[in-house]
Amino acid sequence: MNFARYPWLRDLASPAAARAIEGYRAQLFGSGVATLPGFADAAALKGMLAEASAKSAAAYVTDDTHNAYLTAADASKPKGHLVNQFMRTRVASVAFDELSPGGDLVRLYEQQALAEVVRRITEQDRVFHSADPLGRCSINVFRSGWNHAWHFDESEFTTTLMLQTAEQGGAFQFTPWIRRDRESLAEEPLEKILAGAGGAEDLYDDLAFEPGTLSIFAGRYCLHRVTETAGDRERLVAVFTFASASPSGTGLREHAGDAEALLGPRIAGTLRGVGLGLGLGLGLGLGLGLGLGLGLGLGLG
């Protein structure tokens, strides 16, 4: 963590930390996202990027279609209904067990101070590091021509760290809070955005998301996408997964299919074979990362 830029991180019980966190909480619950630019210092970021670049070639590739709600099609509704409009997404992911245990990225993720910052900004009673052996900390990879189409996350919040922007494109675009809960369709703004109707661009913003920026995003409530990338430089985003309940029980096994879509079939086997329960469901938020039901996880980056 960049203590020079954020000295309050050294003492989270201090008045300075309370004031700073209140400001980021206001950002999150006001616009839908809180960002901490330069959260990773230059030396650590260099190490993270070196590891991500070295391992991105072997990342598991997802090339699939989905609707904005990440749900199945509904044959009882018209073909043009929002739940039946499917869009293509292409992204790859480097799983946690492929990362160096002593590397800069894993060491940052495992710091208790980071989990506490996330807990306080998102107003959770408790936050734990995920017990998921593959998805707890991962890297999303966007190669030239890839994108993540418009969607809402199953997770309530998603935490990511930008490692490298694309040479061209790869903008993270998002709406403010337009959804009350995961059952809400937010039909009026969504129809306008998906149709590219006049004035649709006024409904969403581009996130300033430079390397080293930590982002906490309300992905369940804010429609978002990553635009198509171009050029030789990959877009690389680390995704940090947390849980609001202690990692015991059987909470992840029922979501193994969702996890498989992003991290590959081996994670589905892992989750079906053991009970890792995070108290939050693992949800498919492929852009900032994969998300957790209440949670703080793999969503869009």
Side-chain angles (χ1 to χ4, degrees), residues 210-233:
E210 295 303 313
T213 298
L214 183 78
S215 169
I216 302 174
F217 178 62
R220 180 185 294 172
Y221 310 107
C222 304
L223 186 71
H224 53 284
R225 71 172 176 179
V226 175
T227 64
E228 185 174 319
T229 58
D232 294 334
R233 190 172 69 225

mmCIF file of all heavy atoms in Angstrom, residues 210-233:
data_model
loop_
_atom_site.group_PDB
_atom_site.id
_atom_site.type_symbol
_atom_site.label_atom_id
_atom_site.label_comp_id
_atom_site.label_asym_id
_atom_site.label_seq_id
_atom_site.Cartn_x
_atom_site.Cartn_y
_atom_site.Cartn_z
ATOM 1 N N GLU A 210 -6.517 4.574 -13.788
ATOM 2 C CA GLU A 210 -5.115 4.477 -14.163
ATOM 3 C C GLU A 210 -4.408 3.376 -13.364
ATOM 4 O O GLU A 210 -4.872 2.969 -12.297
ATOM 5 C CB GLU A 210 -4.427 5.823 -13.920
ATOM 6 C CG GLU A 210 -4.950 6.944 -14.802
ATOM 7 C CD GLU A 210 -4.828 6.613 -16.283
ATOM 8 O OE1 GLU A 210 -3.736 6.150 -16.696
ATOM 9 O OE2 GLU A 210 -5.812 6.798 -17.023
ATOM 10 N N PRO A 211 -3.285 2.870 -13.876
ATOM 11 C CA PRO A 211 -2.544 1.833 -13.148
ATOM 12 C C PRO A 211 -2.243 2.248 -11.712
ATOM 13 O O PRO A 211 -1.857 3.381 -11.436
ATOM 14 C CB PRO A 211 -1.260 1.692 -13.975
ATOM 15 C CG PRO A 211 -1.694 2.032 -15.370
ATOM 16 C CD PRO A 211 -2.686 3.144 -15.197
ATOM 17 N N GLY A 212 -2.451 1.300 -10.790
ATOM 18 C CA GLY A 212 -2.253 1.554 -9.371
ATOM 19 C C GLY A 212 -3.502 1.977 -8.645
ATOM 20 O O GLY A 212 -3.514 2.079 -7.417
ATOM 21 N N THR A 213 -4.606 2.206 -9.376
ATOM 22 C CA THR A 213 -5.856 2.658 -8.769
ATOM 23 C C THR A 213 -6.639 1.496 -8.174
ATOM 24 O O THR A 213 -6.916 0.508 -8.867
ATOM 25 C CB THR A 213 -6.738 3.375 -9.798
ATOM 26 O OG1 THR A 213 -6.056 4.534 -10.286
ATOM 27 C CG2 THR A 213 -8.068 3.800 -9.184
ATOM 28 N N LEU A 214 -7.007 1.611 -6.909
ATOM 29 C CA LEU A 214 -7.916 0.666 -6.274
ATOM 30 C C LEU A 214 -9.338 1.166 -6.494
ATOM 31 O O LEU A 214 -9.621 2.351 -6.290
ATOM 32 C CB LEU A 214 -7.638 0.565 -4.779
ATOM 33 C CG LEU A 214 -8.489 -0.470 -4.011
ATOM 34 C CD1 LEU A 214 -7.945 -1.874 -4.251
ATOM 35 C CD2 LEU A 214 -8.504 -0.163 -2.512
ATOM 36 N N SER A 215 -10.231 0.276 -6.906
ATOM 37 C CA SER A 215 -11.624 0.650 -7.164
ATOM 38 C C SER A 215 -12.555 -0.262 -6.379
ATOM 39 O O SER A 215 -12.364 -1.482 -6.349
ATOM 40 C CB SER A 215 -11.927 0.528 -8.666
ATOM 41 O OG SER A 215 -13.310 0.627 -8.917
ATOM 42 N N ILE A 216 -13.541 0.332 -5.728
ATOM 43 C CA ILE A 216 -14.616 -0.414 -5.064
ATOM 44 C C ILE A 216 -15.908 0.029 -5.724
ATOM 45 O O ILE A 216 -16.255 1.216 -5.686
ATOM 46 C CB ILE A 216 -14.634 -0.144 -3.552
ATOM 47 C CG1 ILE A 216 -13.276 -0.523 -2.935
ATOM 48 C CG2 ILE A 216 -15.765 -0.925 -2.885
ATOM 49 C CD1 ILE A 216 -13.147 -0.164 -1.474
ATOM 50 N N PHE A 217 -16.612 -0.908 -6.341
ATOM 51 C CA PHE A 217 -17.698 -0.586 -7.261
ATOM 52 C C PHE A 217 -18.982 -1.319 -6.886
ATOM 53 O O PHE A 217 -18.960 -2.495 -6.546
ATOM 54 C CB PHE A 217 -17.269 -0.969 -8.676
ATOM 55 C CG PHE A 217 -18.305 -0.737 -9.733
ATOM 56 C CD1 PHE A 217 -18.776 0.540 -10.009
ATOM 57 C CD2 PHE A 217 -18.799 -1.794 -10.474
ATOM 58 C CE1 PHE A 217 -19.735 0.757 -10.992
ATOM 59 C CE2 PHE A 217 -19.750 -1.597 -11.457
ATOM 60 C CZ PHE A 217 -20.216 -0.315 -11.719
ATOM 61 N N ALA A 218 -20.115 -0.606 -6.971
ATOM 62 C CA ALA A 218 -21.424 -1.192 -6.669
ATOM 63 C C ALA A 218 -21.993 -1.850 -7.922
ATOM 64 O O ALA A 218 -22.949 -1.376 -8.531
ATOM 65 C CB ALA A 218 -22.367 -0.110 -6.148
ATOM 66 N N GLY A 219 -21.409 -2.966 -8.307
ATOM 67 C CA GLY A 219 -21.731 -3.586 -9.591
ATOM 68 C C GLY A 219 -23.110 -4.186 -9.691
ATOM 69 O O GLY A 219 -23.612 -4.376 -10.807
ATOM 70 N N ARG A 220 -23.742 -4.506 -8.579
ATOM 71 C CA ARG A 220 -25.099 -5.063 -8.652
ATOM 72 C C ARG A 220 -26.119 -4.001 -9.041
ATOM 73 O O ARG A 220 -27.143 -4.311 -9.651
ATOM 74 C CB ARG A 220 -25.498 -5.668 -7.310
ATOM 75 C CG ARG A 220 -26.913 -6.274 -7.318
ATOM 76 C CD ARG A 220 -27.330 -6.749 -5.944
ATOM 77 N NE ARG A 220 -26.504 -7.874 -5.505
ATOM 78 C CZ ARG A 220 -26.552 -8.387 -4.276
ATOM 79 N NH1 ARG A 220 -27.362 -7.849 -3.372
ATOM 80 N NH2 ARG A 220 -25.786 -9.411 -3.946
ATOM 81 N N TYR A 221 -25.821 -2.755 -8.738
ATOM 82 C CA TYR A 221 -26.800 -1.685 -8.904
ATOM 83 C C TYR A 221 -26.494 -0.749 -10.079
ATOM 84 O O TYR A 221 -27.361 0.013 -10.489
ATOM 85 C CB TYR A 221 -26.852 -0.854 -7.624
ATOM 86 C CG TYR A 221 -27.017 -1.706 -6.387
ATOM 87 C CD1 TYR A 221 -25.951 -1.900 -5.505
ATOM 88 C CD2 TYR A 221 -28.223 -2.343 -6.108
ATOM 89 C CE1 TYR A 221 -26.095 -2.698 -4.376
ATOM 90 C CE2 TYR A 221 -28.373 -3.137 -4.989
ATOM 91 C CZ TYR A 221 -27.301 -3.319 -4.127
ATOM 92 O OH TYR A 221 -27.443 -4.117 -3.015
ATOM 93 N N CYS A 222 -25.264 -0.804 -10.572
ATOM 94 C CA CYS A 222 -24.829 0.111 -11.633
ATOM 95 C C CYS A 222 -24.488 -0.688 -12.881
ATOM 96 O O CYS A 222 -23.589 -1.536 -12.866
ATOM 97 C CB CYS A 222 -23.597 0.901 -11.180
ATOM 98 S SG CYS A 222 -23.826 1.813 -9.638
ATOM 99 N N LEU A 223 -25.191 -0.436 -13.965
ATOM 100 C CA LEU A 223 -24.897 -1.089 -15.236
ATOM 101 C C LEU A 223 -23.493 -0.668 -15.678
ATOM 102 O O LEU A 223 -23.112 0.493 -15.541
ATOM 103 C CB LEU A 223 -25.932 -0.665 -16.277
ATOM 104 C CG LEU A 223 -25.863 -1.357 -17.643
ATOM 105 C CD1 LEU A 223 -26.305 -2.816 -17.521
ATOM 106 C CD2 LEU A 223 -26.724 -0.616 -18.661
ATOM 107 N N HIS A 224 -22.734 -1.602 -16.252
ATOM 108 C CA HIS A 224 -21.367 -1.258 -16.627
ATOM 109 C C HIS A 224 -20.849 -2.173 -17.723
ATOM 110 O O HIS A 224 -21.387 -3.252 -17.977
ATOM 111 C CB HIS A 224 -20.438 -1.314 -15.411
ATOM 112 C CG HIS A 224 -20.490 -2.608 -14.650
ATOM 113 N ND1 HIS A 224 -21.530 -2.940 -13.808
ATOM 114 C CD2 HIS A 224 -19.632 -3.653 -14.591
ATOM 115 C CE1 HIS A 224 -21.316 -4.121 -13.264
ATOM 116 N NE2 HIS A 224 -20.158 -4.581 -13.737
ATOM 117 N N ARG A 225 -19.777 -1.723 -18.368
ATOM 118 C CA ARG A 225 -19.112 -2.518 -19.396
ATOM 119 C C ARG A 225 -17.647 -2.088 -19.513
ATOM 120 O O ARG A 225 -17.247 -1.032 -19.005
ATOM 121 C CB ARG A 225 -19.792 -2.339 -20.757
ATOM 122 C CG ARG A 225 -19.574 -0.961 -21.383
ATOM 123 C CD ARG A 225 -20.113 -0.922 -22.806
ATOM 124 N NE ARG A 225 -20.009 0.419 -23.398
ATOM 125 C CZ ARG A 225 -20.397 0.712 -24.642
ATOM 126 N NH1 ARG A 225 -20.905 -0.236 -25.408
ATOM 127 N NH2 ARG A 225 -20.264 1.944 -25.092
ATOM 128 N N VAL A 226 -16.861 -2.913 -20.207
ATOM 129 C CA VAL A 226 -15.516 -2.552 -20.643
ATOM 130 C C VAL A 226 -15.550 -2.526 -22.157
ATOM 131 O O VAL A 226 -15.893 -3.534 -22.795
ATOM 132 C CB VAL A 226 -14.455 -3.557 -20.142
ATOM 133 C CG1 VAL A 226 -13.082 -3.218 -20.722
ATOM 134 C CG2 VAL A 226 -14.404 -3.574 -18.626
ATOM 135 N N THR A 227 -15.222 -1.382 -22.750
ATOM 136 C CA THR A 227 -15.296 -1.254 -24.205
ATOM 137 C C THR A 227 -14.172 -2.054 -24.869
ATOM 138 O O THR A 227 -13.191 -2.438 -24.241
ATOM 139 C CB THR A 227 -15.203 0.219 -24.639
ATOM 140 O OG1 THR A 227 -13.914 0.736 -24.265
ATOM 141 C CG2 THR A 227 -16.299 1.041 -23.977
ATOM 142 N N GLU A 228 -14.325 -2.285 -26.163
ATOM 143 C CA GLU A 228 -13.364 -3.103 -26.904
ATOM 144 C C GLU A 228 -11.963 -2.501 -26.849
ATOM 145 O O GLU A 228 -11.774 -1.295 -27.002
ATOM 146 C CB GLU A 228 -13.812 -3.243 -28.353
ATOM 147 C CG GLU A 228 -12.942 -4.178 -29.175
ATOM 148 C CD GLU A 228 -13.487 -4.420 -30.567
ATOM 149 O OE1 GLU A 228 -14.734 -4.580 -30.686
ATOM 150 O OE2 GLU A 228 -12.704 -4.441 -31.533
ATOM 151 N N THR A 229 -10.989 -3.366 -26.643
ATOM 152 C CA THR A 229 -9.597 -2.943 -26.590
ATOM 153 C C THR A 229 -8.939 -3.103 -27.962
ATOM 154 O O THR A 229 -9.426 -3.849 -28.809
ATOM 155 C CB THR A 229 -8.815 -3.771 -25.564
ATOM 156 O OG1 THR A 229 -8.910 -5.157 -25.922
ATOM 157 C CG2 THR A 229 -9.375 -3.575 -24.168
ATOM 158 N N ALA A 230 -7.820 -2.406 -28.160
ATOM 159 C CA ALA A 230 -7.057 -2.522 -29.400
ATOM 160 C C ALA A 230 -5.590 -2.289 -29.096
ATOM 161 O O ALA A 230 -5.237 -1.573 -28.150
ATOM 162 C CB ALA A 230 -7.553 -1.511 -30.443
ATOM 163 N N GLY A 231 -4.728 -2.900 -29.898
ATOM 164 C CA GLY A 231 -3.294 -2.718 -29.714
ATOM 165 C C GLY A 231 -2.649 -3.903 -29.030
ATOM 166 O O GLY A 231 -3.322 -4.834 -28.568
ATOM 167 N N ASP A 232 -1.322 -3.878 -28.974
ATOM 168 C CA ASP A 232 -0.567 -5.001 -28.422
ATOM 169 C C ASP A 232 -0.563 -5.043 -26.900
ATOM 170 O O ASP A 232 -0.340 -6.096 -26.306
ATOM 171 C CB ASP A 232 0.887 -4.937 -28.915
ATOM 172 C CG ASP A 232 1.000 -5.151 -30.421
ATOM 173 O OD1 ASP A 232 0.111 -5.819 -30.987
ATOM 174 O OD2 ASP A 232 1.963 -4.640 -31.024
ATOM 175 N N ARG A 233 -0.773 -3.906 -26.251
ATOM 176 C CA ARG A 233 -0.713 -3.872 -24.789
ATOM 177 C C ARG A 233 -2.018 -4.369 -24.178
ATOM 178 O O ARG A 233 -3.090 -3.821 -24.444
ATOM 179 C CB ARG A 233 -0.413 -2.450 -24.307
ATOM 180 C CG ARG A 233 -0.094 -2.395 -22.810
ATOM 181 C CD ARG A 233 0.379 -1.003 -22.405
ATOM 182 N NE ARG A 233 -0.691 -0.019 -22.476
ATOM 183 C CZ ARG A 233 -0.558 1.185 -23.018
ATOM 184 N NH1 ARG A 233 0.580 1.548 -23.578
ATOM 185 N NH2 ARG A 233 -1.578 2.032 -23.033
#
